[in-house]
Amino acid sequence: MPLVENKFGQFSMEAHWAVAGKLAPPPQHVTTAPRKALLDRLDRASRLPLTVVLSPPGFGKTTLLSQWYHRLRERGETAVAWLSVDEEDAELRRFLTGLALAVGRAGIELGPLLQTVKSPQNEFDTQAATAALLALIQRMPGKLVLILDDYDRGRN
């Protein structure tokens, strides 16, 4: 497993499948126009507990969310976590592990939860991991925006 340094200089062991591409927006290879009106709507929507962005494939949801992710990080007022979801994330352990690593990359100290998500599958208690992750998020001093890109792909 590779040793990864996050923006806070903290190092962690990430599972081999949790490549950087799942925990950060995909790189843009073309110049895109910022969609200020939509970004402003997302800013306002971030006050709500849940916001869902819906549109047909190819209409730029990932590009929009990527722009918003970078906008929020540049402001530095909010912790921002990104997880690109795929079909393999339908398995709860894998999804929770990705979610925990994304939250950790956003700057939330995972503590013992990091060891839990790295434990062998037969030792992984999804209820305990979920409760621990929710407790960490609830105790954090500021706000967390969690972007789950392509969440619909994680269904069975």
Side-chain angles (χ1 to χ4, degrees), residues 25 34-44 64-78 80 147:
R35 293 173 275 179
K36 185 176 177 352
L38 290 173
L39 292 169
D40 290 344
R41 284 185 72 180
L42 285 171
D43 283 342
R44 288 190 303 276
L64 173 65
L65 292 173
S66 177
Q67 289 174 353
W68 190 44
Y69 172 89
H70 291 295
R71 178 188 218 188
L72 292 173
R73 287 186 45 118
E74 286 171 11
R75 288 182 185 160
E77 302 164 355
T78 304
V80 186
I147 299 172

Side-chain angles (χ1 to χ4, degrees), residues 83-136:
L83 179 62
S84 293
V85 180
D86 59 36
E87 291 78 9
E88 293 180 18
D89 292 314
E91 194 253 310
L92 184 56
R93 179 191 199 284
R94 181 178 161 109
F95 178 72
L96 286 173
T97 299
L99 201 55
L101 293 172
V103 167
R105 185 168 275 197
I108 297 172
E109 180 58 47
L110 297 178
L113 181 59
L114 183 61
Q115 295 306 316
T116 300
V117 298
K118 292 188 327 183
S119 69
Q121 187 156 352
N122 58 350
E123 295 177 19
F124 192 86
D125 180 348
T126 56
Q127 287 185 320
T130 302
L133 184 58
L134 289 173
L136 287 171

Side-chain angles (χ1 to χ4, degrees), residues 22 24-26 61-63 65-66 82-86 89 146-154:
K22 287 186 65 79
K61 295 177 297 295
T62 297
T63 300
L65 292 173
S66 177
W82 179 283
L83 179 62
S84 293
V85 180
D86 59 36
D89 292 314
L146 172 61
I147 299 172
L148 299 174
D149 187 38
D150 287 332
Y151 178 77
D152 60 304
R153 291 179 60 197

